Amino acid sequence: MSIHDLEISFQNKIDSEIKIEPKDWMPEAYRKTNLRQISQHAHSEIVGMLPEGNWISRAPSLKRKAILIAKVQDEAGHGLYLYSAAETLGTSREQMVADLNSGKAKYSSIFNYPTLSWADMGAVGWLVDGAAILNQVMLCRTSYGPYARAMVRICKEESFHQRQGFETLLVLSKGTKEQRDMCQDAINRWWWPSLMMFGPKDSESTNSDQSMKWKIKRKTNDELRQQFIDMIAEQIKLLGMTLPDANLKWNAERKHYDFGEINWEEFWNVVKGNGPCNKQRLADRNKAHDEGAWVREAAMAYAAKRKNKTANKAA
Amino acid sequence: MNIQVKKFYYGDIPEENTGGTNPENNYAQENSWPLWEVFIRSKQGLDHKHAGSLHAADAAMAIENARDVYTRRQEGVSLWVVESKYIHASNPDDAEMFYEPAADKVYRHPTFYDLPDEVKHM
């Protein structure tokens, strides 16, 4: 079969909703796009542990501490599911970790913002995980089999993250004036970065929508962002708080909320490495990796020693 | 084939906008842990089913890691792990000739046989 025929039969499979599996023929660009997207997603889960890990030792109660630990452990697990999915596309775990630690690979910019107060743990769960879930629910139906399966597993676990976040804020919203102020302040700081999580506007894109054609993605950035805004604008009423956007209002004609302009300059600045915490996050990842080197080596040495012993016994 | 995927997606920040440094790759030489496939029995009486994969230095660590990553919410009562290199798979390119012969043997299915309605318990 010629490459052209292979491409046609590949697209036919996609069109008839047949998942692509690791050993199937796929266009090189499909492989690369998936690899980049899945590994970035994995890196986001791993770096995403850092802003929350910051609060484990300072959680206000044992219950909140146990919840936060469980959540951070989930993020590590999600990173692993995704790294495994990316590995099926022909890269190694070491390569991906190296690309993250060197700053070559990207992760979601949202994790380059600092978590300044306990209320941030609530805002991160509600807004950041909430935004991530919309994307992840869509990705449960992505065309690459291993990615879709990882997403199904992740979505099952992610719902607790968002609910505990909202509940954390709900408790604060019924608290003292200081607690209510803290709650509103966290929402003010996390709102706009959360909207940026969906990526640039659809109109920024000039090329044909290849990822949609390949069904890697099934909704555009703007569609997902609007869905998120409509959802949050209603939920916030239950908190008795406000979203920091004077232009946010219901549009009966569109049946959606209108909203103000996102600061794209800030978005690109953070992507390019100039966010409040980019350097600190990478430094922390590198430190953890370097300080864990002896553990990885010792485990290999131990495995080799045991293997030798078994071999000697058999001889 | 050279399709440029330019659309920016969540979790898919394009290369041309990358920042940061690009120092030497320090980790490529590292002695890496082998890959293992994980199979979980969700409850007694059911088959073990493939759940995913992970890296571990040996089988004992693979089982412990599998417990930590794949059964945090009581997903299983039993785990199998096997080093991925020991799994042999059929080739998808051969799928047509490999599985096609089964397609024209409809007589292997009970519905192929037309029996009078009077025949009971069959």
PDB file of all heavy atoms in Angstrom, chain A residues 7 36 40 74 81 84 87 93-94 102 135 153 157 197 209 217 221 306, chain B residues 1 8-13 21 32-33 51 53 55 58 69 72-73:
ATOM      1  N   GLU A   7      -3.001   6.526   4.407  1.00  0.00           N
ATOM      2  CA  GLU A   7      -3.630   7.706   5.022  1.00  0.00           C
ATOM      3  C   GLU A   7      -5.140   7.679   4.863  1.00  0.00           C
ATOM      4  O   GLU A   7      -5.871   8.043   5.777  1.00  0.00           O
ATOM      5  CB  GLU A   7      -3.073   8.989   4.402  1.00  0.00           C
ATOM      6  CG  GLU A   7      -1.785   9.422   5.065  1.00  0.00           C
ATOM      7  CD  GLU A   7      -1.066  10.483   4.267  1.00  0.00           C
ATOM      8  OE1 GLU A   7      -1.686  11.084   3.373  1.00  0.00           O
ATOM      9  OE2 GLU A   7       0.132  10.689   4.536  1.00  0.00           O
ATOM     10  N   ARG A  36       3.207  14.828  21.855  1.00  0.00           N
ATOM     11  CA  ARG A  36       3.415  16.126  22.501  1.00  0.00           C
ATOM     12  C   ARG A  36       2.287  16.429  23.492  1.00  0.00           C
ATOM     13  O   ARG A  36       2.516  16.830  24.621  1.00  0.00           O
ATOM     14  CB  ARG A  36       3.512  17.226  21.451  1.00  0.00           C
ATOM     15  CG  ARG A  36       3.881  18.571  22.067  1.00  0.00           C
ATOM     16  CD  ARG A  36       4.098  19.630  21.018  1.00  0.00           C
ATOM     17  NE  ARG A  36       2.902  19.816  20.228  1.00  0.00           N
ATOM     18  CZ  ARG A  36       2.883  20.305  18.986  1.00  0.00           C
ATOM     19  NH1 ARG A  36       4.004  20.622  18.393  1.00  0.00           N
ATOM     20  NH2 ARG A  36       1.752  20.454  18.339  1.00  0.00           N
ATOM     21  N   GLN A  40       2.800  16.484  27.524  1.00  0.00           N
ATOM     22  CA  GLN A  40       2.546  17.758  28.212  1.00  0.00           C
ATOM     23  C   GLN A  40       1.484  17.594  29.294  1.00  0.00           C
ATOM     24  O   GLN A  40       1.577  18.172  30.371  1.00  0.00           O
ATOM     25  CB  GLN A  40       2.078  18.826  27.219  1.00  0.00           C
ATOM     26  CG  GLN A  40       3.212  19.425  26.413  1.00  0.00           C
ATOM     27  CD  GLN A  40       2.735  20.458  25.410  1.00  0.00           C
ATOM     28  OE1 GLN A  40       1.548  20.766  25.332  1.00  0.00           O
ATOM     29  NE2 GLN A  40       3.663  20.994  24.644  1.00  0.00           N
ATOM     30  N   ASP A  74      -3.196  11.155  43.835  1.00  0.00           N
ATOM     31  CA  ASP A  74      -3.927  10.941  42.582  1.00  0.00           C
ATOM     32  C   ASP A  74      -3.213  11.598  41.403  1.00  0.00           C
ATOM     33  O   ASP A  74      -3.101  11.022  40.324  1.00  0.00           O
ATOM     34  CB  ASP A  74      -5.343  11.534  42.665  1.00  0.00           C
ATOM     35  CG  ASP A  74      -6.346  10.573  43.306  1.00  0.00           C
ATOM     36  OD1 ASP A  74      -5.977   9.418  43.593  1.00  0.00           O
ATOM     37  OD2 ASP A  74      -7.500  10.995  43.514  1.00  0.00           O
ATOM     38  N   TYR A  81      -0.261   7.292  34.484  1.00  0.00           N
ATOM     39  CA  TYR A  81      -1.113   6.750  33.410  1.00  0.00           C
ATOM     40  C   TYR A  81      -0.739   7.393  32.076  1.00  0.00           C
ATOM     41  O   TYR A  81      -0.662   6.741  31.035  1.00  0.00           O
ATOM     42  CB  TYR A  81      -2.603   7.073  33.645  1.00  0.00           C
ATOM     43  CG  TYR A  81      -3.224   6.605  34.936  1.00  0.00           C
ATOM     44  CD1 TYR A  81      -4.342   7.264  35.453  1.00  0.00           C
ATOM     45  CD2 TYR A  81      -2.736   5.509  35.636  1.00  0.00           C
ATOM     46  CE1 TYR A  81      -4.946   6.856  36.633  1.00  0.00           C
ATOM     47  CE2 TYR A  81      -3.336   5.099  36.821  1.00  0.00           C
ATOM     48  CZ  TYR A  81      -4.428   5.779  37.317  1.00  0.00           C
ATOM     49  OH  TYR A  81      -5.033   5.394  38.477  1.00  0.00           O
ATOM     50  N   SER A  84       2.674   6.459  30.645  1.00  0.00           N
ATOM     51  CA  SER A  84       2.580   5.128  30.054  1.00  0.00           C
ATOM     52  C   SER A  84       1.944   5.201  28.670  1.00  0.00           C
ATOM     53  O   SER A  84       2.391   4.538  27.734  1.00  0.00           O
ATOM     54  CB  SER A  84       1.749   4.193  30.934  1.00  0.00           C
ATOM     55  OG  SER A  84       2.367   4.035  32.179  1.00  0.00           O
ATOM     56  N   GLU A  87       4.421   6.570  26.254  1.00  0.00           N
ATOM     57  CA  GLU A  87       5.480   5.617  25.924  1.00  0.00           C
ATOM     58  C   GLU A  87       5.089   4.669  24.791  1.00  0.00           C
ATOM     59  O   GLU A  87       5.942   4.167  24.078  1.00  0.00           O
ATOM     60  CB  GLU A  87       5.863   4.798  27.169  1.00  0.00           C
ATOM     61  CG  GLU A  87       6.795   5.551  28.100  1.00  0.00           C
ATOM     62  CD  GLU A  87       7.059   4.794  29.396  1.00  0.00           C
ATOM     63  OE1 GLU A  87       8.006   3.998  29.416  1.00  0.00           O
ATOM     64  OE2 GLU A  87       6.296   4.981  30.365  1.00  0.00           O
ATOM     65  N   ARG A  93      10.459   7.009  29.133  1.00  0.00           N
ATOM     66  CA  ARG A  93      10.136   7.793  30.317  1.00  0.00           C
ATOM     67  C   ARG A  93      11.280   8.753  30.633  1.00  0.00           C
ATOM     68  O   ARG A  93      11.062   9.924  30.942  1.00  0.00           O
ATOM     69  CB  ARG A  93       9.912   6.841  31.500  1.00  0.00           C
ATOM     70  CG  ARG A  93       9.508   7.524  32.790  1.00  0.00           C
ATOM     71  CD  ARG A  93       8.067   7.935  32.782  1.00  0.00           C
ATOM     72  NE  ARG A  93       7.157   6.826  32.574  1.00  0.00           N
ATOM     73  CZ  ARG A  93       6.632   6.072  33.548  1.00  0.00           C
ATOM     74  NH1 ARG A  93       6.908   6.328  34.786  1.00  0.00           N
ATOM     75  NH2 ARG A  93       5.819   5.087  33.264  1.00  0.00           N
ATOM     76  N   GLU A  94      12.531   8.244  30.499  1.00  0.00           N
ATOM     77  CA  GLU A  94      13.702   9.073  30.815  1.00  0.00           C
ATOM     78  C   GLU A  94      13.748  10.315  29.924  1.00  0.00           C
ATOM     79  O   GLU A  94      14.036  11.412  30.383  1.00  0.00           O
ATOM     80  CB  GLU A  94      15.009   8.286  30.616  1.00  0.00           C
ATOM     81  CG  GLU A  94      15.286   7.264  31.681  1.00  0.00           C
ATOM     82  CD  GLU A  94      14.350   6.075  31.582  1.00  0.00           C
ATOM     83  OE1 GLU A  94      13.914   5.749  30.451  1.00  0.00           O
ATOM     84  OE2 GLU A  94      14.028   5.471  32.620  1.00  0.00           O
ATOM     85  N   SER A 102      14.594  19.907  31.819  1.00  0.00           N
ATOM     86  CA  SER A 102      15.470  20.869  31.139  1.00  0.00           C
ATOM     87  C   SER A 102      14.706  22.122  30.727  1.00  0.00           C
ATOM     88  O   SER A 102      15.297  23.116  30.338  1.00  0.00           O
ATOM     89  CB  SER A 102      16.090  20.234  29.895  1.00  0.00           C
ATOM     90  OG  SER A 102      15.101  20.104  28.889  1.00  0.00           O
ATOM     91  N   ASN A 135     -11.949  19.404  29.751  1.00  0.00           N
ATOM     92  CA  ASN A 135     -11.055  18.949  28.700  1.00  0.00           C
ATOM     93  C   ASN A 135     -10.901  17.429  28.732  1.00  0.00           C
ATOM     94  O   ASN A 135     -10.926  16.751  27.712  1.00  0.00           O
ATOM     95  CB  ASN A 135      -9.701  19.633  28.915  1.00  0.00           C
ATOM     96  CG  ASN A 135      -8.738  19.352  27.789  1.00  0.00           C
ATOM     97  OD1 ASN A 135      -9.017  19.675  26.651  1.00  0.00           O
ATOM     98  ND2 ASN A 135      -7.627  18.728  28.107  1.00  0.00           N
ATOM     99  N   ARG A 153      -9.870   6.546  33.173  1.00  0.00           N
ATOM    100  CA  ARG A 153      -9.442   6.272  34.543  1.00  0.00           C
ATOM    101  C   ARG A 153      -9.287   7.590  35.322  1.00  0.00           C
ATOM    102  O   ARG A 153      -9.713   7.700  36.478  1.00  0.00           O
ATOM    103  CB  ARG A 153      -8.112   5.516  34.495  1.00  0.00           C
ATOM    104  CG  ARG A 153      -7.874   4.652  35.707  1.00  0.00           C
ATOM    105  CD  ARG A 153      -6.703   3.699  35.498  1.00  0.00           C
ATOM    106  NE  ARG A 153      -6.989   2.661  34.547  1.00  0.00           N
ATOM    107  CZ  ARG A 153      -6.221   2.359  33.485  1.00  0.00           C
ATOM    108  NH1 ARG A 153      -5.123   3.034  33.257  1.00  0.00           N
ATOM    109  NH2 ARG A 153      -6.551   1.391  32.671  1.00  0.00           N
ATOM    110  N   GLU A 157     -11.486   9.573  38.812  1.00  0.00           N
ATOM    111  CA  GLU A 157     -10.878  10.009  40.064  1.00  0.00           C
ATOM    112  C   GLU A 157     -10.952  11.523  40.252  1.00  0.00           C
ATOM    113  O   GLU A 157     -10.891  12.020  41.373  1.00  0.00           O
ATOM    114  CB  GLU A 157      -9.410   9.558  40.105  1.00  0.00           C
ATOM    115  CG  GLU A 157      -9.294   8.053  39.982  1.00  0.00           C
ATOM    116  CD  GLU A 157      -7.865   7.539  40.029  1.00  0.00           C
ATOM    117  OE1 GLU A 157      -6.920   8.353  39.980  1.00  0.00           O
ATOM    118  OE2 GLU A 157      -7.698   6.327  40.107  1.00  0.00           O
ATOM    119  N   MET A 197      -6.375  28.429  30.692  1.00  0.00           N
ATOM    120  CA  MET A 197      -6.045  27.003  30.561  1.00  0.00           C
ATOM    121  C   MET A 197      -6.566  26.394  29.263  1.00  0.00           C
ATOM    122  O   MET A 197      -6.053  25.393  28.798  1.00  0.00           O
ATOM    123  CB  MET A 197      -6.641  26.208  31.728  1.00  0.00           C
ATOM    124  CG  MET A 197      -5.888  26.335  33.033  1.00  0.00           C
ATOM    125  SD  MET A 197      -6.743  25.427  34.331  1.00  0.00           S
ATOM    126  CE  MET A 197      -6.394  23.728  33.888  1.00  0.00           C
ATOM    127  N   ASP A 209      -8.040  22.566  10.822  1.00  0.00           N
ATOM    128  CA  ASP A 209      -8.139  22.009  12.154  1.00  0.00           C
ATOM    129  C   ASP A 209      -7.827  20.513  12.164  1.00  0.00           C
ATOM    130  O   ASP A 209      -8.699  19.679  12.317  1.00  0.00           O
ATOM    131  CB  ASP A 209      -9.556  22.276  12.650  1.00  0.00           C
ATOM    132  CG  ASP A 209      -9.563  22.398  14.139  1.00  0.00           C
ATOM    133  OD1 ASP A 209      -8.590  21.932  14.757  1.00  0.00           O
ATOM    134  OD2 ASP A 209     -10.541  22.937  14.676  1.00  0.00           O
ATOM    135  N   LYS A 217      -8.982  15.865  19.373  1.00  0.00           N
ATOM    136  CA  LYS A 217      -9.813  16.786  20.128  1.00  0.00           C
ATOM    137  C   LYS A 217     -11.172  16.887  19.456  1.00  0.00           C
ATOM    138  O   LYS A 217     -11.270  16.759  18.242  1.00  0.00           O
ATOM    139  CB  LYS A 217      -9.117  18.159  20.141  1.00  0.00           C
ATOM    140  CG  LYS A 217      -9.575  19.022  21.260  1.00  0.00           C
ATOM    141  CD  LYS A 217      -8.704  20.235  21.498  1.00  0.00           C
ATOM    142  CE  LYS A 217      -9.573  21.180  22.298  1.00  0.00           C
ATOM    143  NZ  LYS A 217      -9.005  21.678  23.496  1.00  0.00           N
ATOM    144  N   ASN A 221     -11.127  25.251  21.674  1.00  0.00           N
ATOM    145  CA  ASN A 221     -10.771  25.969  22.905  1.00  0.00           C
ATOM    146  C   ASN A 221     -11.920  26.867  23.363  1.00  0.00           C
ATOM    147  O   ASN A 221     -12.272  26.894  24.539  1.00  0.00           O
ATOM    148  CB  ASN A 221      -9.545  26.850  22.658  1.00  0.00           C
ATOM    149  CG  ASN A 221      -8.300  26.024  22.386  1.00  0.00           C
ATOM    150  OD1 ASN A 221      -8.329  24.795  22.493  1.00  0.00           O
ATOM    151  ND2 ASN A 221      -7.216  26.683  22.048  1.00  0.00           N
ATOM    152  N   ARG A 306      19.621  -9.807  43.497  1.00  0.00           N
ATOM    153  CA  ARG A 306      18.673 -10.910  43.722  1.00  0.00           C
ATOM    154  C   ARG A 306      18.618 -11.868  42.529  1.00  0.00           C
ATOM    155  O   ARG A 306      18.490 -13.067  42.679  1.00  0.00           O
ATOM    156  CB  ARG A 306      17.280 -10.357  44.013  1.00  0.00           C
ATOM    157  CG  ARG A 306      17.140  -9.908  45.450  1.00  0.00           C
ATOM    158  CD  ARG A 306      15.793 -10.250  46.002  1.00  0.00           C
ATOM    159  NE  ARG A 306      14.754  -9.543  45.258  1.00  0.00           N
ATOM    160  CZ  ARG A 306      13.550  -9.260  45.748  1.00  0.00           C
ATOM    161  NH1 ARG A 306      13.254  -9.635  46.980  1.00  0.00           N
ATOM    162  NH2 ARG A 306      12.669  -8.627  45.030  1.00  0.00           N
TER     163      ARG A 306
ATOM    164  N   MET B   1       4.120  12.892   3.700  1.00  0.00           N
ATOM    165  CA  MET B   1       3.027  13.597   4.370  1.00  0.00           C
ATOM    166  C   MET B   1       3.616  14.584   5.360  1.00  0.00           C
ATOM    167  O   MET B   1       4.482  14.253   6.151  1.00  0.00           O
ATOM    168  CB  MET B   1       2.203  12.546   5.103  1.00  0.00           C
ATOM    169  CG  MET B   1       1.335  13.147   6.157  1.00  0.00           C
ATOM    170  SD  MET B   1      -0.329  12.711   5.871  1.00  0.00           S
ATOM    171  CE  MET B   1      -0.951  12.894   7.509  1.00  0.00           C
ATOM    172  N   PHE B   8      -3.584  25.643  18.517  1.00  0.00           N
ATOM    173  CA  PHE B   8      -3.099  25.550  19.897  1.00  0.00           C
ATOM    174  C   PHE B   8      -4.160  24.904  20.772  1.00  0.00           C
ATOM    175  O   PHE B   8      -5.294  25.351  20.790  1.00  0.00           O
ATOM    176  CB  PHE B   8      -2.794  26.943  20.448  1.00  0.00           C
ATOM    177  CG  PHE B   8      -1.878  27.737  19.585  1.00  0.00           C
ATOM    178  CD1 PHE B   8      -2.065  29.088  19.437  1.00  0.00           C
ATOM    179  CD2 PHE B   8      -0.842  27.120  18.919  1.00  0.00           C
ATOM    180  CE1 PHE B   8      -1.215  29.824  18.629  1.00  0.00           C
ATOM    181  CE2 PHE B   8       0.003  27.856  18.114  1.00  0.00           C
ATOM    182  CZ  PHE B   8      -0.187  29.215  17.958  1.00  0.00           C
ATOM    183  N   TYR B   9      -3.787  23.913  21.484  1.00  0.00           N
ATOM    184  CA  TYR B   9      -4.738  23.239  22.344  1.00  0.00           C
ATOM    185  C   TYR B   9      -4.275  23.236  23.777  1.00  0.00           C
ATOM    186  O   TYR B   9      -3.097  23.309  24.048  1.00  0.00           O
ATOM    187  CB  TYR B   9      -4.935  21.798  21.889  1.00  0.00           C
ATOM    188  CG  TYR B   9      -5.729  21.706  20.644  1.00  0.00           C
ATOM    189  CD1 TYR B   9      -5.197  21.139  19.511  1.00  0.00           C
ATOM    190  CD2 TYR B   9      -7.006  22.243  20.602  1.00  0.00           C
ATOM    191  CE1 TYR B   9      -5.931  21.071  18.354  1.00  0.00           C
ATOM    192  CE2 TYR B   9      -7.738  22.190  19.454  1.00  0.00           C
ATOM    193  CZ  TYR B   9      -7.209  21.601  18.327  1.00  0.00           C
ATOM    194  OH  TYR B   9      -7.938  21.548  17.196  1.00  0.00           O
ATOM    195  N   TYR B  10      -5.246  23.034  24.649  1.00  0.00           N
ATOM    196  CA  TYR B  10      -4.916  22.784  26.042  1.00  0.00           C
ATOM    197  C   TYR B  10      -3.952  21.610  26.081  1.00  0.00           C
ATOM    198  O   TYR B  10      -4.188  20.594  25.445  1.00  0.00           O
ATOM    199  CB  TYR B  10      -6.188  22.425  26.813  1.00  0.00           C
ATOM    200  CG  TYR B  10      -5.917  21.915  28.200  1.00  0.00           C
ATOM    201  CD1 TYR B  10      -5.735  22.800  29.243  1.00  0.00           C
ATOM    202  CD2 TYR B  10      -5.817  20.559  28.445  1.00  0.00           C
ATOM    203  CE1 TYR B  10      -5.478  22.346  30.501  1.00  0.00           C
ATOM    204  CE2 TYR B  10      -5.555  20.091  29.711  1.00  0.00           C
ATOM    205  CZ  TYR B  10      -5.393  20.993  30.744  1.00  0.00           C
ATOM    206  OH  TYR B  10      -5.128  20.533  31.999  1.00  0.00           O
ATOM    207  N   GLY B  11      -2.911  21.739  26.839  1.00  0.00           N
ATOM    208  CA  GLY B  11      -1.950  20.647  26.927  1.00  0.00           C
ATOM    209  C   GLY B  11      -1.213  20.436  25.635  1.00  0.00           C
ATOM    210  O   GLY B  11      -0.651  19.389  25.402  1.00  0.00           O
ATOM    211  N   ASP B  12      -1.251  21.411  24.748  1.00  0.00           N
ATOM    212  CA  ASP B  12      -0.542  21.236  23.490  1.00  0.00           C
ATOM    213  C   ASP B  12       0.013  22.580  23.049  1.00  0.00           C
ATOM    214  O   ASP B  12      -0.454  23.190  22.111  1.00  0.00           O
ATOM    215  CB  ASP B  12      -1.489  20.672  22.432  1.00  0.00           C
ATOM    216  CG  ASP B  12      -0.728  20.328  21.155  1.00  0.00           C
ATOM    217  OD1 ASP B  12       0.486  20.091  21.264  1.00  0.00           O
ATOM    218  OD2 ASP B  12      -1.330  20.329  20.082  1.00  0.00           O
ATOM    219  N   ILE B  13       0.990  23.047  23.781  1.00  0.00           N
ATOM    220  CA  ILE B  13       1.571  24.340  23.493  1.00  0.00           C
ATOM    221  C   ILE B  13       2.621  24.161  22.393  1.00  0.00           C
ATOM    222  O   ILE B  13       3.484  23.306  22.493  1.00  0.00           O
ATOM    223  CB  ILE B  13       2.206  24.946  24.762  1.00  0.00           C
ATOM    224  CG1 ILE B  13       1.094  25.179  25.783  1.00  0.00           C
ATOM    225  CG2 ILE B  13       2.912  26.256  24.445  1.00  0.00           C
ATOM    226  CD1 ILE B  13       1.531  24.995  27.202  1.00  0.00           C
ATOM    227  N   THR B  21      15.338  26.923  28.956  1.00  0.00           N
ATOM    228  CA  THR B  21      16.673  26.574  28.486  1.00  0.00           C
ATOM    229  C   THR B  21      16.653  25.196  27.840  1.00  0.00           C
ATOM    230  O   THR B  21      15.663  24.511  27.862  1.00  0.00           O
ATOM    231  CB  THR B  21      17.650  26.546  29.665  1.00  0.00           C
ATOM    232  OG1 THR B  21      17.097  25.686  30.673  1.00  0.00           O
ATOM    233  CG2 THR B  21      17.843  27.932  30.233  1.00  0.00           C
ATOM    234  N   SER B  32      17.729   2.457  33.378  1.00  0.00           N
ATOM    235  CA  SER B  32      16.303   2.626  33.616  1.00  0.00           C
ATOM    236  C   SER B  32      15.614   1.341  34.056  1.00  0.00           C
ATOM    237  O   SER B  32      16.021   0.250  33.684  1.00  0.00           O
ATOM    238  CB  SER B  32      15.636   3.193  32.373  1.00  0.00           C
ATOM    239  OG  SER B  32      15.766   2.260  31.333  1.00  0.00           O
ATOM    240  N   TRP B  33      14.575   1.515  34.841  1.00  0.00           N
ATOM    241  CA  TRP B  33      13.789   0.384  35.317  1.00  0.00           C
ATOM    242  C   TRP B  33      12.962  -0.182  34.169  1.00  0.00           C
ATOM    243  O   TRP B  33      12.402   0.574  33.388  1.00  0.00           O
ATOM    244  CB  TRP B  33      12.826   0.831  36.416  1.00  0.00           C
ATOM    245  CG  TRP B  33      13.496   1.253  37.682  1.00  0.00           C
ATOM    246  CD1 TRP B  33      14.814   1.139  37.998  1.00  0.00           C
ATOM    247  CD2 TRP B  33      12.859   1.872  38.807  1.00  0.00           C
ATOM    248  NE1 TRP B  33      15.043   1.654  39.250  1.00  0.00           N
ATOM    249  CE2 TRP B  33      13.859   2.102  39.768  1.00  0.00           C
ATOM    250  CE3 TRP B  33      11.553   2.241  39.095  1.00  0.00           C
ATOM    251  CZ2 TRP B  33      13.587   2.690  40.999  1.00  0.00           C
ATOM    252  CZ3 TRP B  33      11.280   2.824  40.311  1.00  0.00           C
ATOM    253  CH2 TRP B  33      12.285   3.034  41.254  1.00  0.00           C
ATOM    254  N   ALA B  51      -4.761  -3.442  32.983  1.00  0.00           N
ATOM    255  CA  ALA B  51      -5.127  -2.140  33.526  1.00  0.00           C
ATOM    256  C   ALA B  51      -4.196  -1.036  33.030  1.00  0.00           C
ATOM    257  O   ALA B  51      -4.589   0.114  32.908  1.00  0.00           O
ATOM    258  CB  ALA B  51      -5.095  -2.174  35.045  1.00  0.00           C
ATOM    259  N   SER B  53       0.368   0.056  32.583  1.00  0.00           N
ATOM    260  CA  SER B  53       1.751  -0.366  32.751  1.00  0.00           C
ATOM    261  C   SER B  53       2.480   0.574  33.686  1.00  0.00           C
ATOM    262  O   SER B  53       1.972   1.650  34.029  1.00  0.00           O
ATOM    263  CB  SER B  53       2.440  -0.432  31.391  1.00  0.00           C
ATOM    264  OG  SER B  53       2.281   0.785  30.707  1.00  0.00           O
ATOM    265  N   HIS B  55       6.807   1.318  35.490  1.00  0.00           N
ATOM    266  CA  HIS B  55       8.205   0.927  35.573  1.00  0.00           C
ATOM    267  C   HIS B  55       8.526   0.479  36.998  1.00  0.00           C
ATOM    268  O   HIS B  55       8.049   1.073  37.961  1.00  0.00           O
ATOM    269  CB  HIS B  55       9.118   2.103  35.222  1.00  0.00           C
ATOM    270  CG  HIS B  55       9.075   2.467  33.771  1.00  0.00           C
ATOM    271  ND1 HIS B  55       9.941   1.936  32.854  1.00  0.00           N
ATOM    272  CD2 HIS B  55       8.252   3.282  33.075  1.00  0.00           C
ATOM    273  CE1 HIS B  55       9.665   2.423  31.652  1.00  0.00           C
ATOM    274  NE2 HIS B  55       8.631   3.241  31.767  1.00  0.00           N
ATOM    275  N   ASP B  58      11.989  -4.535  40.006  1.00  0.00           N
ATOM    276  CA  ASP B  58      11.760  -5.980  40.020  1.00  0.00           C
ATOM    277  C   ASP B  58      10.273  -6.269  40.242  1.00  0.00           C
ATOM    278  O   ASP B  58       9.468  -5.347  40.437  1.00  0.00           O
ATOM    279  CB  ASP B  58      12.623  -6.667  41.079  1.00  0.00           C
ATOM    280  CG  ASP B  58      12.373  -6.103  42.470  1.00  0.00           C
ATOM    281  OD1 ASP B  58      11.268  -5.577  42.720  1.00  0.00           O
ATOM    282  OD2 ASP B  58      13.283  -6.177  43.318  1.00  0.00           O
ATOM    283  N   VAL B  69      -0.775   2.624  42.361  1.00  0.00           N
ATOM    284  CA  VAL B  69      -1.352   3.436  41.274  1.00  0.00           C
ATOM    285  C   VAL B  69      -2.667   2.921  40.718  1.00  0.00           C
ATOM    286  O   VAL B  69      -3.471   3.716  40.246  1.00  0.00           O
ATOM    287  CB  VAL B  69      -0.427   3.640  40.048  1.00  0.00           C
ATOM    288  CG1 VAL B  69       0.218   4.979  40.088  1.00  0.00           C
ATOM    289  CG2 VAL B  69       0.550   2.547  39.865  1.00  0.00           C
ATOM    290  N   ARG B  72      -6.122   2.281  44.197  1.00  0.00           N
ATOM    291  CA  ARG B  72      -6.324   3.187  45.334  1.00  0.00           C
ATOM    292  C   ARG B  72      -7.785   3.254  45.774  1.00  0.00           C
ATOM    293  O   ARG B  72      -8.092   3.736  46.849  1.00  0.00           O
ATOM    294  CB  ARG B  72      -5.867   4.614  44.978  1.00  0.00           C
ATOM    295  CG  ARG B  72      -4.369   4.795  44.959  1.00  0.00           C
ATOM    296  CD  ARG B  72      -4.002   6.265  45.007  1.00  0.00           C
ATOM    297  NE  ARG B  72      -4.564   7.027  43.903  1.00  0.00           N
ATOM    298  CZ  ARG B  72      -4.096   7.001  42.665  1.00  0.00           C
ATOM    299  NH1 ARG B  72      -3.067   6.228  42.372  1.00  0.00           N
ATOM    300  NH2 ARG B  72      -4.660   7.715  41.715  1.00  0.00           N
ATOM    301  N   ARG B  73      -8.684   2.808  44.907  1.00  0.00           N
ATOM    302  CA  ARG B  73     -10.100   2.871  45.260  1.00  0.00           C
ATOM    303  C   ARG B  73     -10.751   1.497  45.164  1.00  0.00           C
ATOM    304  O   ARG B  73     -11.828   1.344  44.610  1.00  0.00           O
ATOM    305  CB  ARG B  73     -10.820   3.882  44.366  1.00  0.00           C
ATOM    306  CG  ARG B  73     -10.431   5.315  44.698  1.00  0.00           C
ATOM    307  CD  ARG B  73     -11.043   6.317  43.755  1.00  0.00           C
ATOM    308  NE  ARG B  73     -10.723   7.686  44.128  1.00  0.00           N
ATOM    309  CZ  ARG B  73      -9.565   8.275  43.871  1.00  0.00           C
ATOM    310  NH1 ARG B  73      -8.623   7.627  43.219  1.00  0.00           N
ATOM    311  NH2 ARG B  73      -9.345   9.523  44.254  1.00  0.00           N
TER     312      ARG B  73
END
